[in-house]
Amino acid sequence: MSNDANAAAHLSNAALGALPEEVARPTYDRSSVTPGVMHFGVGNFHRSHQAMYIDALMNQGKALDWGICGVGVMPRDAQMRDALSHSDHLYTLVLKHPDGSRDVRVIGSIVDFLYAPDDPEKVIEQLASPQIRIVSLTVTEGGYNFDPSTGEFRLDNPAIAADLEGKAAPTTAFGLIVAGLKRRRERGIEPFTIMSCDNIQGNGEMAHKSFTAYAKADDPEFAQWLETHVSFPNSMVDRITPVTTDEDRAEVAELLGGVTDDWPVVAEPFTQWALEDSFPDGRPPLEDVGVQVVEDVEPYELMKLRLLNASHQGIAYFGWLLGYRLVDEAASDELLARYLRAYMDSEATPTLQPVPGVDLDQYKDTLIERFTNSEVRDTVARLAAESSDRIPKWLVPVIKENLAADRPVELSAAMVASWARYDEGVDEQGEPIEIVDQLADELKALAQQQADDRLAFVKNAKLFGDLAADERFTKPYVWALDSLRDNGARKTLELLVG
C-alpha cells in the first residue's frame, strides 16, 4: 500500500498488513474466533484490560472460542458501537512508558458489539446461546443500583421498574441478563458465569446480591434457581486507563503509519488481575497470560481499593485545590506525595490482610511511580468524578475499621474534608469547579452549608453512615476543613505531614 493510500486508510482487518512492522497485531485468524464472553460496559478500561488478556491468549493459539461480544445499554454506548463497527471491532492499545517509549498493539479479541436499544431480542438470544459461558461487567460502582445508605437494591429506579413491569423489552443489564438466563433454563442450557470487573470490594458478591434482588422482584421461584446455579466470582482489576483525547488519536495515526482509529486506548504499562476460580461452565486459561487465579481475592482487592483507589481520591481534591489538572503533576508535588504515602502506611495498611506474593512496601513505591508517569496524562478531573460512588466504598471502610480498632484517622478525615471543600464548587482562586457526580446538586448544597454547620457534608448518612456522631472522626475532619478554608490546601498538607 502506498503512503497516500495509507494516509486515507482506517483500521480494519484489511489494513493490518499495511501497519508498520513494530506494531503488534493479532497473529491468529480472527475469522475462526467465536464468542464465549458477552461483556456489558465496553469502555477504555475493559479494552485495556480484560480484552487485552484474552487477545494475548489468542496470540498463543489458545482461547479462540472465548471471543468477546460487547453489549451496550446506555445512550453513550452507541458511539462505541459505531467506532468498533467502523474498524471490524479492532482497536489500538498504546502503553505509555515513563521514558516516553510506546508499546503499540492492535487488539482483536472483540468480535462483535450489540447495542441493546437497536435489538434487545438479539441480545437476549445471544445470551441464551450455549457458546456464551461468561457474562462480564464493567458498569462502574453505580451500575449495581444499590442505595448507599441502606445497601438495598433500588427497585424504584425508573428503568428497573419498567423492566420489572414487563410491558416492553428490557433495557437494563439486569433485565437483559436475567431474561437470557431464563431462556437458557427453559432450553436446558447450563447458566453462564457472571463476572464483575468493577472496582468494588467483593464485586462478585455485589453482582450476586444485585441480580438476585432483581430476580426476586421479577420471579421469586426463578431467583431461587439463580442463587443456586449461577456463579459470581470476585475479582481485582488494575490498570490506569485515562480518557482518549484527540491528541491520542493523532498520535495513534502517526504510530500506525497513517492508518486512523476512531477510538484507540492509551494506558500505563502496569496491569494486574486477581480472579477467584469459580467458573462452573469453564473459562479461558487466563493464568497463562499472568492473571492471578486464586481461591480468595479479598486480600488483593482490599490492597488495591484502599491503597491505589483511595490515594487517587487524595490526589483528586487536594491536587485540584493545589492548582494541578494532571495527575502526574499533582503526584510529583513532594508534599502531596508525602501525604499519600503517609496515608498508605499509617491508615490504609493496618486495615489490610496479608497479600500472598505481594511485597506491600514495594507495591506502595510502585503506586507513587505509576501516579507520576507523565506520559499517561491522566486528569485530576477524572479522579474527582462520581465520588459519591467511590469514597463510601474505598475510604469510609478504612475510617470505620481504624475507629473500631482505636487507631488514628487524621489523614483519612482530611481526605474527606478535601472532598467537602472541593464540592463547595469554587477553587482557591475563586474559579468555579465543575462537580461531576450523580449527586452533584445535593453534595454542592451540603458543602455550601459548611460555613454555618461544619458537619453538614458528613451528616449525609447515605454516604458516611454515623461518622458525624463520632468525635474521633469529626474533630480531625473539622480541623482539616477549617484549615482548607482558612489556610488553603498547601498549608493544610504542611500541617498534616510537615
Side-chain angles (χ1 to χ4, degrees):
M1 184 180 289
S2 70
N3 285 339
D4 288 345
N6 246 8
H10 191 277
L11 183 63
S12 65
N13 288 326
L16 288 175
L19 299 178
E21 184 177 335
E22 61 271 18
V23 176
R25 67 208 77 186
T27 58
Y28 50 92
D29 177 6
R30 292 187 77 225
S31 67
S32 66
V33 176
T34 55
V37 178
M38 289 183 74
H39 183 81
F40 283 71
V42 177
N44 279 9
F45 179 76
H46 167 71
R47 295 189 297 148
S48 78
H49 196 268
Q50 181 187 343
M52 177 278 300
Y53 280 103
I54 292 178
D55 178 77
L57 276 176
M58 292 177 174
N59 281 325
Q60 294 181 3
K62 305 169 185 175
L64 296 182
D65 58 341
W66 289 103
I68 299 168
C69 173
V71 183
V73 300
M74 306 296 288
R76 62 178 178 270
D77 293 327
Q79 293 176 277
M80 185 61 72
R81 171 201 61 195
D82 295 344
L84 289 173
S85 175
H86 195 197
S87 62
D88 294 329
H89 301 98
L90 295 165
Y91 63 92
T92 313
L93 173 62
V94 178
L95 304 185
K96 295 186 172 184
H97 293 267
D99 64 4
S101 62
R102 303 284 191 264
D103 290 334
V104 188
R105 173 173 165 189
V106 175
I107 305 289
S109 54
I110 298 177
V111 294
D112 198 5
F113 187 95
L114 302 178
Y115 181 56
D118 289 342
D119 191 345
E121 171 59 27
K122 187 174 182 179
V123 174
I124 296 168
E125 189 61 24
Q126 180 79 318
L127 286 163
S129 166
Q131 286 185 313
I132 301 301
R133 285 151 290 164
I134 295 174
V135 171
S136 53
L137 307 162
T138 46
V139 294
T140 76
E141 299 84 359
Y144 294 85
N145 193 48
F146 274 96
D147 186 310
S149 60
T150 65
E152 296 302 313
F153 189 77
R154 291 183 53 240
L155 294 171
D156 60 347
N157 178 317
I160 295 293
D163 277 5
L164 289 170
E165 193 174 1
K167 292 183 178 179
T171 65
T172 69
F174 299 103
L176 292 162
I177 291 170
V178 167
L181 282 169
K182 281 186 170 182
R183 198 165 292 184
R184 292 173 82 100
R185 185 191 185 200
E186 291 165 2
R187 296 175 183 177
I189 300 168
E190 288 293 313
F192 43 69
T193 295
I194 298 179
M195 179 177 72
S196 170
C197 294
D198 281 296
N199 280 318
I200 307 170
Q201 183 178 342
N203 54 13
E205 294 158 16
M206 176 71 81
H208 187 184
K209 186 176 178 183
S210 59
F211 278 94
T212 301
Y214 178 92
K216 281 181 178 176
D218 179 54
D219 181 342
E221 188 272 333
F222 174 76
Q224 288 186 328
W225 176 89
L226 183 150
E227 282 204 87
T228 303
H229 292 90
V230 180
S231 180
F232 295 83
N234 290 306
S235 68
M236 182 276 276
V237 296
D238 190 6
R239 171 167 264 173
I240 296 172
T241 308
V243 173
T244 304
T245 66
D246 289 339
E247 290 80 4
D248 293 325
R249 292 182 177 87
E251 181 182 11
V252 166
E254 186 175 340
L255 292 167
L256 298 186
V259 174
T260 61
D261 183 350
D262 290 345
W263 206 332
V265 184
V266 300
E268 65 168 339
F270 181 92
T271 183
Q272 188 177 17
W273 189 1
L275 180 62
E276 182 184 357
D277 198 1
S278 180
F279 293 83
D281 202 23
R283 61 168 175 81
L286 291 163
E287 60 270 36
D288 292 352
V289 287
V291 177
Q292 294 164 288
V293 180
V294 298
E295 290 186 11
D296 184 9
V297 169
E298 186 176 21
Y300 299 89
E301 65 189 6
L302 289 176
M303 174 188 75
K304 193 255 181 171
L305 296 174
R306 296 182 179 185
L307 294 176
L308 184 147
N309 291 114
S311 293
H312 264 167
Q313 302 309 109
I315 293 172
Y317 321 115
F318 274 115
W320 190 278
L321 295 171
L322 288 167
Y324 296 112
R325 299 298 176 258
L326 292 175
V327 172
D328 65 279
E329 294 175 353
S332 296
D333 185 307
E334 191 270 339
L335 183 61
L336 181 52
R338 196 158 69 245
Y339 165 75
L340 296 174
R341 185 57 187 256
Y343 157 76
M344 292 186 208
D345 289 341
S346 66
E347 297 187 16
T349 299
T351 73
L352 303 182
Q353 303 170 11
V355 188
V358 176
D359 180 322
L360 277 181
D361 281 333
Q362 185 179 49
Y363 180 79
K364 287 181 278 191
D365 289 341
T366 301
L367 287 182
I368 299 297
E369 292 172 9
R370 292 168 63 192
F371 296 158
T372 57
N373 184 343
S374 61
E375 295 297 315
V376 173
R377 296 186 69 76
D378 200 4
T379 65
V380 174
R382 183 185 79 85
L383 302 189
E386 302 301 341
S387 300
S388 65
D389 275 337
R390 297 175 173 185
I391 291 281
K393 297 180 178 73
W394 300 343
L395 186 63
V396 170
V398 172
I399 297 169
K400 290 186 174 181
E401 285 192 30
N402 282 327
L403 289 174
D406 203 24
R407 293 191 294 255
V409 296
E410 281 78 7
L411 302 175
S412 299
M415 201 178 297
V416 175
S418 70
W419 178 28
R421 169 66 186 87
Y422 177 93
D423 274 10
E424 290 178 0
V426 180
D427 68 14
E428 293 181 5
Q429 287 71 47
E431 296 297 321
I433 297 173
E434 180 185 4
I435 301 167
V436 178
D437 194 292
Q438 59 184 343
L439 302 180
D441 292 343
E442 177 184 346
L443 293 171
K444 188 172 181 178
L446 290 172
Q448 290 178 346
Q449 295 173 29
Q450 291 174 149
D452 299 318
D453 179 0
R454 294 291 191 273
L455 299 180
F457 197 79
V458 293
K459 284 179 180 175
N460 186 334
K462 291 186 298 183
L463 303 181
F464 299 104
D466 60 358
L467 284 182
D470 193 323
E471 188 180 7
R472 294 172 299 163
F473 168 76
T474 59
K475 186 175 179 179
Y477 169 80
V478 169
W479 174 87
L481 183 62
D482 284 346
S483 181
L484 285 164
R485 292 168 59 89
D486 298 339
N487 304 317
R490 183 161 299 281
K491 182 62 175 177
T492 301
L493 288 173
E494 288 174 354
L495 293 169
L496 282 167
V497 294

